[in-house]
């Protein structure tokens, strides 16, 4: 019999990480993600793992770097201001080709901002955050089940491609309780072994070095071309999205994470009123499902992108759609009281279905 | 008569020339660390954490596994390494800009947690790699490229004595300051480094050795004058000694 639990999204992340064999957690408290370190601090010691409440987010990500350099599955979690601090370490991990999971239960900004649900970190997550022009795998769950499933997937992809992975969610998904089926983890049979990992096991074989410094003539260029090729491959093989009701849609609504959840309800209401609306929900934000947008907009020419920010993902949507598709944007800056209701989105959907709204 | 080898390259060091400037004492400290690894026959189970500074090429000289840390973060990286490989010897090798400026938070908390690490802190009173700027350890009145009239403590603050500072923390098992400017001091430095690694082998907690070294290039001195400056100016401000030693037994 498959177990069914009723848990918070944040707890589902922690459970997914433990299921995937992560035994090293390093973090620093910040709302609204504290359920994750609290869960890990209780469970990891019993599993023979290590939990450290570090002195800062900077220290946390560097502990992840160290543990990952030894081949262990390791993670950290935080929220927006803390993720800013981790960007240095994420860049070093990307440059050193180290896997590792970073969870961002995003809050509003800029600055101290607020603790409300937010999608203000799309740019930070997807466009490289730290210095040097690297990419990381970014997945955006829209349910408690996906918090678990995508966490597990993120570890596998992170290991396979040797790059950091991020779960991007917010308090709506992190704090909400839903049913969860915690599927047992089956490691993919073809996951490459970590022959690069520092062993420290007493062997006097070939020296192993984990580094991101390349000073020799042409070395860094070659290294970056290799990383670039990896990102291309990631796009080819690991892009994930969900489509619903696009077959006959006049209007394609797109949103990720928490707003996709609200948009889905609005679309259902619209359908009940006879409006032909469909949803294209990016599940991975990097790699971005650009090809899916191109294909869908060969047919559906009106696109409405909804975000809990003033327009970030919409840039990638505009770059992806067919030339003659019109992309509109509806969003609000995150903050107390700015989470849209299904009725509010329904109004937007109605306007875009009926009116000849263009551009935006 | 049978020839007996009395001096050889430690096996933990590679047989390569270093990039260090003439008279730079990073090389001496490298050798002392390598001799210690040989002593414990530990090169195969040692993981070094390289920092950002003139010593970043640790892996080019030591024949051991190495991970490179961001500037100042070596103690946090080493913490992650040590928590995974508890039976390995893990050490960081950091300059004064790296450890006593940008990395103060990481070093203090690694010490305070009593992480089973050995930290080799190379204090040359300047930022060597970036061309001789003022460091947190630059002496009062010392001229650098960003304190051309000499360090003014009224506006630049005072040099930090890290070995004494870390000795105040309960997690620090061993904290000492040594120099390598004379044969006697080199012997003492070797003993301190051996002790600091020994504490890790015995699982006693965090061990720290500050080594006062020259940077002739950025001090604008020839190697001999730079070496003399250690005794004349640096040691008077940064006294040599052991500031904490929680060995339980006095050896
Ligand atoms: C985040 C960051 N800031 C600044 C630098 C530039 N930088 C490289 S080495 C260094 C300091 C080197 O001085 P020290 O730690 O004393 O070591 P030394 O070179 O003297 O051995 C600095 C500031 C950097 N690499 N990264
Ligand atoms: S710049 Fe100074 S610390 Fe760096 S190698 Fe030269 S002498 Fe040594």
């Amino acid at each position: 019999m498959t177990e069914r639990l009723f848990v918070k999204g944040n707890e589902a992340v922690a459970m997914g990480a433990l299921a995937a064999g992560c035994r090293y957690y390093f973090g620093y408290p910040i709302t609204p993600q504290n359920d994750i370190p609290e869960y890990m601090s209780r469970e990891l010691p019993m599993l023979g793992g290590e939990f450290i409440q570090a002195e800062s987010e900077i220290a946390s990500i560097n502990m992840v770097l160290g543990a990952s350099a030894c081949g262990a599955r390791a993670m950290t979690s935080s929220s927006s201001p803390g993720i800013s601090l981790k960007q240095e370490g994420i860049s070093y991990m990307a440059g050193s080709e180290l896997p590792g999971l970073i969870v961002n239960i995003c809050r509003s900004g800029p600055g101290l901002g607020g603790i409300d649900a937010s999608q203000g970190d799309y740019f930070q997550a997807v466009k490289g955050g730290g210095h040097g022009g690297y990419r990381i795998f970014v997945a955006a769950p829209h349910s408690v089940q996906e918090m678990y499933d995508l966490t597990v997937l993120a570890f596998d992809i992170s290991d396979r491609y040797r790059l950091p992975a991020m779960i991007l969610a917010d308090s709506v998904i992190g704090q909400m309780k839903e049913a969860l089926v915690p599927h047992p983890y089956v490691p993919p049979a073809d996951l490459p072994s970590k022959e690069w990992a520092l062993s420290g096991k007493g062997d006097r074989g070939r020296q192993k070095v984990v580094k991101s410094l390349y000073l020799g003539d042409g070395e860094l260029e070659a290294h970056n071309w290799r990383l670039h090729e990896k990102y291309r491959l990631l796009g080819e093989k690991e892009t994930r999205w969900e489509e619903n009701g696009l077959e006959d849609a006049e209007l394609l609504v797109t949103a990720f994470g928490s707003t996709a959840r609200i948009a889905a309800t609005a679309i259902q209401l619209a359908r009940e009123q006879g409006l032909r609306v469909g949803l294209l929900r990016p599940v991975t934000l990097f790699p971005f499902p650009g090809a899916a947008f191109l294909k869908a907009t060969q047919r559906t020419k009106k696109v409405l992108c909804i975000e809990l920010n003033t327009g970030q993902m919409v840039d990638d949507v505009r770059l992806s759609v067919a030339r003659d598709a019109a992309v509109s944007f509806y969003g609000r800056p995150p903050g107390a009281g700015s989470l849209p209701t299904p009725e509010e989105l329904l109004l937007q959907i109605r306007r875009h279905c009926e009116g000849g709204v263009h551009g935006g | 008569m049978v020839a007996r080898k009395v001096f050889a390259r430690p096996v933990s060091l590679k047989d390569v020339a270093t990039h260090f400037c003439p008279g730079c004492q990073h090389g001496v400290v490298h050798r002392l660390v390598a001799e210690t690894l040989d002593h414990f026959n530990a090169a195969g189970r040692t993981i070094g954490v390289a920092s950002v500074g003139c010593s970043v090429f640790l892996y080019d000289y030591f024949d051991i596994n190495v991970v490179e840390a961001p500037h100042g973060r070596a103690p946090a990286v080493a913490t992650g390494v040590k928590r995974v490989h508890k039976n390995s010897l893990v050490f960081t090798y950091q300059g004064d800009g790296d450890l006593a400026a940008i990395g103060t938070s990481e070093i203090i908390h690694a010490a305070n947690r009593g992480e089973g690490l050995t930290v080799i802190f190379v204090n040359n009173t300047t930022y060597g790699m970036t061309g001789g700027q003022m460091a947190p350890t630059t002496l009062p009145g010392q001229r650098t490229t960003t304190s051309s009239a000499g360090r003014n403590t009224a506006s630049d603050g005072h040099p930090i004595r890290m070995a004494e500072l870390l000795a105040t923390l309960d997690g620090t098992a061993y904290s000492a300051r040594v120099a390598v400017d004379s044969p006697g001091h080199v012997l003492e430095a070797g003993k301190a480094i051996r002790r600091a690694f020994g504490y890790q082998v015995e699982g006693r907690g965090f061990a720290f050795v500050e080594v006062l070294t020259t940077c002739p290039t950025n001090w604008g001195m020839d190697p001999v004058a730079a070496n003399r400056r250690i005794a004349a100016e640096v040691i008077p401000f940064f006294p040599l000694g052991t500031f904490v030693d929680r060995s339980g037994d006095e050896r």
Side-chain angles (χ1 to χ4, degrees), chain B residues 200-236:
Chain B
Q200 191 178 162
V201 172
E202 295 157 16
R204 290 178 194 273
F206 182 85
F208 182 85
V209 180
E210 174 172 343
V211 190
L212 302 177
T213 62
T214 53
C215 177
T217 303
N218 289 304
W219 291 359
M221 293 177 168
D222 64 57
V224 174
N227 196 45
R228 284 206 189 104
R229 178 179 181 248
I230 297 285
E233 295 174 31
V234 185
I235 292 176

Short mmCIF file of all heavy atoms in Angstrom, two decimals, chain B residues 200-236:
data_model
loop_
_atom_site.label_atom_id
_atom_site.label_comp_id
_atom_site.label_asym_id
_atom_site.label_seq_id
_atom_site.Cartn_x
_atom_site.Cartn_y
_atom_site.Cartn_z
N GLN B 200 44.61 16.94 15.54
CA GLN B 200 43.55 16.47 14.65
C GLN B 200 43.54 14.95 14.60
O GLN B 200 42.48 14.32 14.65
CB GLN B 200 43.73 17.06 13.24
CG GLN B 200 42.52 16.80 12.37
CD GLN B 200 42.61 17.38 10.97
OE1 GLN B 200 41.87 16.98 10.11
NE2 GLN B 200 43.49 18.33 10.72
N VAL B 201 44.73 14.36 14.52
CA VAL B 201 44.84 12.90 14.51
C VAL B 201 44.18 12.34 15.77
O VAL B 201 43.47 11.33 15.73
CB VAL B 201 46.32 12.46 14.44
CG1 VAL B 201 46.46 10.96 14.63
CG2 VAL B 201 46.94 12.90 13.11
N GLU B 202 44.39 13.03 16.90
CA GLU B 202 43.87 12.55 18.18
C GLU B 202 42.43 13.00 18.44
O GLU B 202 41.86 12.70 19.49
CB GLU B 202 44.77 13.06 19.32
CG GLU B 202 46.18 12.47 19.26
CD GLU B 202 47.20 13.35 19.98
OE1 GLU B 202 46.77 14.23 20.77
OE2 GLU B 202 48.40 13.17 19.75
N GLY B 203 41.88 13.78 17.51
CA GLY B 203 40.49 14.21 17.65
C GLY B 203 40.25 15.19 18.79
O GLY B 203 39.21 15.15 19.46
N ARG B 204 41.21 16.09 19.02
CA ARG B 204 41.08 17.02 20.15
C ARG B 204 40.35 18.31 19.81
O ARG B 204 40.07 19.10 20.70
CB ARG B 204 42.46 17.42 20.66
CG ARG B 204 43.20 16.32 21.36
CD ARG B 204 44.56 16.85 21.78
NE ARG B 204 45.45 15.77 22.15
CZ ARG B 204 45.51 15.26 23.37
NH1 ARG B 204 44.76 15.73 24.32
NH2 ARG B 204 46.36 14.27 23.63
N GLY B 205 40.10 18.56 18.53
CA GLY B 205 39.39 19.79 18.17
C GLY B 205 40.21 20.68 17.27
O GLY B 205 41.16 20.24 16.61
N PHE B 206 39.86 21.94 17.25
CA PHE B 206 40.39 22.91 16.30
C PHE B 206 41.82 23.34 16.68
O PHE B 206 42.09 23.67 17.83
CB PHE B 206 39.47 24.12 16.33
CG PHE B 206 39.84 25.21 15.36
CD1 PHE B 206 39.42 25.17 14.04
CD2 PHE B 206 40.60 26.29 15.79
CE1 PHE B 206 39.76 26.19 13.16
CE2 PHE B 206 40.94 27.31 14.92
CZ PHE B 206 40.52 27.26 13.61
N ALA B 207 42.71 23.32 15.71
CA ALA B 207 44.11 23.69 15.98
C ALA B 207 44.58 24.72 14.97
O ALA B 207 44.36 24.58 13.76
CB ALA B 207 44.99 22.45 15.93
N PHE B 208 45.25 25.74 15.46
CA PHE B 208 45.57 26.93 14.66
C PHE B 208 47.04 27.30 14.84
O PHE B 208 47.52 27.42 15.97
CB PHE B 208 44.68 28.07 15.17
CG PHE B 208 44.83 29.38 14.45
CD1 PHE B 208 44.13 29.63 13.28
CD2 PHE B 208 45.65 30.38 14.96
CE1 PHE B 208 44.24 30.86 12.63
CE2 PHE B 208 45.77 31.60 14.31
CZ PHE B 208 45.07 31.84 13.15
N VAL B 209 47.74 27.48 13.73
CA VAL B 209 49.13 27.95 13.81
C VAL B 209 49.29 29.17 12.90
O VAL B 209 49.06 29.09 11.69
CB VAL B 209 50.14 26.86 13.38
CG1 VAL B 209 51.57 27.41 13.48
CG2 VAL B 209 49.99 25.62 14.23
N GLU B 210 49.64 30.29 13.51
CA GLU B 210 49.92 31.51 12.75
C GLU B 210 51.42 31.56 12.50
O GLU B 210 52.21 31.44 13.44
CB GLU B 210 49.46 32.74 13.54
CG GLU B 210 49.84 34.06 12.89
CD GLU B 210 49.20 35.28 13.58
OE1 GLU B 210 48.23 35.11 14.35
OE2 GLU B 210 49.70 36.40 13.34
N VAL B 211 51.79 31.74 11.24
CA VAL B 211 53.21 31.80 10.90
C VAL B 211 53.52 33.20 10.36
O VAL B 211 52.91 33.64 9.38
CB VAL B 211 53.59 30.75 9.82
CG1 VAL B 211 55.11 30.68 9.67
CG2 VAL B 211 53.02 29.38 10.18
N LEU B 212 54.44 33.89 11.00
CA LEU B 212 54.86 35.21 10.52
C LEU B 212 55.83 35.00 9.37
O LEU B 212 56.82 34.28 9.51
CB LEU B 212 55.54 36.00 11.65
CG LEU B 212 54.69 36.22 12.90
CD1 LEU B 212 55.51 36.96 13.98
CD2 LEU B 212 53.42 36.99 12.58
N THR B 213 55.52 35.60 8.23
CA THR B 213 56.36 35.38 7.05
C THR B 213 56.66 36.69 6.34
O THR B 213 56.01 37.72 6.57
CB THR B 213 55.68 34.45 6.03
OG1 THR B 213 54.48 35.08 5.58
CG2 THR B 213 55.36 33.08 6.62
N THR B 214 57.63 36.61 5.43
CA THR B 214 58.04 37.77 4.64
C THR B 214 57.24 37.87 3.35
O THR B 214 56.76 36.86 2.83
CB THR B 214 59.51 37.61 4.22
OG1 THR B 214 59.64 36.34 3.57
CG2 THR B 214 60.44 37.71 5.40
N CYS B 215 57.16 39.08 2.84
CA CYS B 215 56.70 39.31 1.47
C CYS B 215 57.65 40.36 0.90
O CYS B 215 57.28 41.54 0.79
CB CYS B 215 55.25 39.79 1.44
SG CYS B 215 54.65 40.15 -0.22
N PRO B 216 58.88 39.96 0.55
CA PRO B 216 59.88 40.93 0.12
C PRO B 216 59.38 41.81 -1.03
O PRO B 216 59.62 43.02 -1.04
CB PRO B 216 61.07 40.07 -0.33
CG PRO B 216 60.85 38.74 0.28
CD PRO B 216 59.38 38.58 0.51
N THR B 217 58.68 41.18 -1.95
CA THR B 217 58.21 41.92 -3.13
C THR B 217 57.37 43.13 -2.74
O THR B 217 57.62 44.25 -3.18
CB THR B 217 57.39 40.98 -4.02
OG1 THR B 217 58.21 39.86 -4.36
CG2 THR B 217 56.93 41.68 -5.30
N ASN B 218 56.39 42.88 -1.90
CA ASN B 218 55.48 43.98 -1.57
C ASN B 218 55.95 44.83 -0.40
O ASN B 218 55.41 45.91 -0.15
CB ASN B 218 54.08 43.43 -1.32
CG ASN B 218 53.44 42.95 -2.60
OD1 ASN B 218 53.33 43.71 -3.57
ND2 ASN B 218 53.06 41.68 -2.64
N TRP B 219 56.94 44.34 0.32
CA TRP B 219 57.54 45.18 1.37
C TRP B 219 58.59 46.11 0.75
O TRP B 219 59.12 46.99 1.43
CB TRP B 219 58.22 44.32 2.44
CG TRP B 219 57.27 43.53 3.29
CD1 TRP B 219 55.91 43.50 3.23
CD2 TRP B 219 57.64 42.62 4.35
NE1 TRP B 219 55.40 42.64 4.17
CE2 TRP B 219 56.44 42.09 4.88
CE3 TRP B 219 58.85 42.20 4.90
CZ2 TRP B 219 56.43 41.17 5.94
CZ3 TRP B 219 58.84 41.29 5.95
CH2 TRP B 219 57.63 40.78 6.46
N GLY B 220 58.94 45.87 -0.51
CA GLY B 220 59.98 46.67 -1.16
C GLY B 220 61.35 46.44 -0.55
O GLY B 220 62.15 47.37 -0.40
N MET B 221 61.63 45.19 -0.17
CA MET B 221 62.90 44.86 0.48
C MET B 221 63.54 43.69 -0.24
O MET B 221 62.85 42.90 -0.88
CB MET B 221 62.65 44.44 1.94
CG MET B 221 62.15 45.55 2.83
SD MET B 221 61.84 44.88 4.47
CE MET B 221 61.62 46.39 5.40
N ASP B 222 64.87 43.56 -0.06
CA ASP B 222 65.50 42.35 -0.56
C ASP B 222 65.24 41.25 0.47
O ASP B 222 64.84 41.53 1.61
CB ASP B 222 67.00 42.57 -0.83
CG ASP B 222 67.77 42.89 0.42
OD1 ASP B 222 67.74 42.09 1.39
OD2 ASP B 222 68.41 43.96 0.46
N PRO B 223 65.42 39.99 0.08
CA PRO B 223 65.07 38.88 0.97
C PRO B 223 65.74 38.95 2.34
O PRO B 223 65.10 38.65 3.36
CB PRO B 223 65.54 37.65 0.19
CG PRO B 223 65.42 38.05 -1.24
CD PRO B 223 65.79 39.50 -1.28
N VAL B 224 66.99 39.39 2.38
CA VAL B 224 67.68 39.42 3.68
C VAL B 224 67.09 40.50 4.58
O VAL B 224 66.80 40.27 5.76
CB VAL B 224 69.21 39.64 3.47
CG1 VAL B 224 69.91 39.83 4.81
CG2 VAL B 224 69.81 38.47 2.70
N ALA B 225 66.86 41.69 4.00
CA ALA B 225 66.28 42.77 4.79
C ALA B 225 64.87 42.39 5.25
O ALA B 225 64.47 42.68 6.39
CB ALA B 225 66.24 44.05 3.95
N ALA B 226 64.12 41.74 4.36
CA ALA B 226 62.76 41.32 4.72
C ALA B 226 62.80 40.34 5.89
O ALA B 226 62.02 40.44 6.84
CB ALA B 226 62.07 40.70 3.51
N ASN B 227 63.73 39.41 5.81
CA ASN B 227 63.84 38.42 6.89
C ASN B 227 64.20 39.11 8.21
O ASN B 227 63.70 38.75 9.27
CB ASN B 227 64.88 37.37 6.52
CG ASN B 227 64.77 36.14 7.39
OD1 ASN B 227 63.66 35.64 7.62
ND2 ASN B 227 65.90 35.68 7.92
N ARG B 228 65.08 40.13 8.13
CA ARG B 228 65.47 40.86 9.36
C ARG B 228 64.28 41.61 9.95
O ARG B 228 64.17 41.76 11.16
CB ARG B 228 66.58 41.86 9.04
CG ARG B 228 67.93 41.20 8.86
CD ARG B 228 69.06 42.17 9.18
NE ARG B 228 70.32 41.55 8.80
CZ ARG B 228 71.00 41.90 7.70
NH1 ARG B 228 70.58 42.88 6.92
NH2 ARG B 228 72.12 41.27 7.40
N ARG B 229 63.39 42.08 9.06
CA ARG B 229 62.24 42.85 9.55
C ARG B 229 61.35 42.02 10.48
O ARG B 229 60.71 42.55 11.40
CB ARG B 229 61.40 43.36 8.35
CG ARG B 229 60.17 44.12 8.80
CD ARG B 229 59.32 44.65 7.65
NE ARG B 229 58.17 45.39 8.18
CZ ARG B 229 56.90 45.00 8.09
NH1 ARG B 229 56.60 43.89 7.44
NH2 ARG B 229 55.92 45.71 8.62
N ILE B 230 61.33 40.71 10.25
CA ILE B 230 60.49 39.83 11.10
C ILE B 230 60.87 40.02 12.57
O ILE B 230 60.01 40.28 13.42
CB ILE B 230 60.64 38.35 10.67
CG1 ILE B 230 60.13 38.15 9.24
CG2 ILE B 230 59.91 37.43 11.65
CD1 ILE B 230 58.64 38.14 9.05
N ALA B 231 62.17 39.90 12.87
CA ALA B 231 62.60 40.02 14.27
C ALA B 231 62.55 41.47 14.75
O ALA B 231 62.20 41.74 15.90
CB ALA B 231 64.02 39.47 14.42
N ALA B 232 62.87 42.39 13.84
CA ALA B 232 62.98 43.80 14.26
C ALA B 232 61.62 44.44 14.48
O ALA B 232 61.44 45.21 15.43
CB ALA B 232 63.77 44.58 13.21
N GLU B 233 60.64 44.14 13.62
CA GLU B 233 59.37 44.86 13.70
C GLU B 233 58.14 43.98 13.90
O GLU B 233 57.21 44.36 14.60
CB GLU B 233 59.15 45.67 12.39
CG GLU B 233 60.15 46.79 12.17
CD GLU B 233 59.95 47.45 10.81
OE1 GLU B 233 58.81 47.50 10.32
OE2 GLU B 233 60.97 47.89 10.22
N VAL B 234 58.16 42.81 13.27
CA VAL B 234 56.90 42.03 13.26
C VAL B 234 56.71 41.27 14.57
O VAL B 234 55.64 41.34 15.19
CB VAL B 234 56.85 41.08 12.03
CG1 VAL B 234 55.51 40.36 11.98
CG2 VAL B 234 57.08 41.86 10.73
N ILE B 235 57.76 40.58 15.01
CA ILE B 235 57.62 39.81 16.26
C ILE B 235 57.32 40.72 17.46
O ILE B 235 56.49 40.35 18.31
CB ILE B 235 58.86 38.91 16.50
CG1 ILE B 235 58.89 37.81 15.42
CG2 ILE B 235 58.82 38.29 17.90
CD1 ILE B 235 60.11 36.91 15.47
N PRO B 236 57.92 41.91 17.54
CA PRO B 236 57.56 42.78 18.67
C PRO B 236 56.07 43.08 18.75
O PRO B 236 55.51 43.24 19.83
CB PRO B 236 58.38 44.04 18.42
CG PRO B 236 59.56 43.56 17.64
CD PRO B 236 59.04 42.45 16.77
#
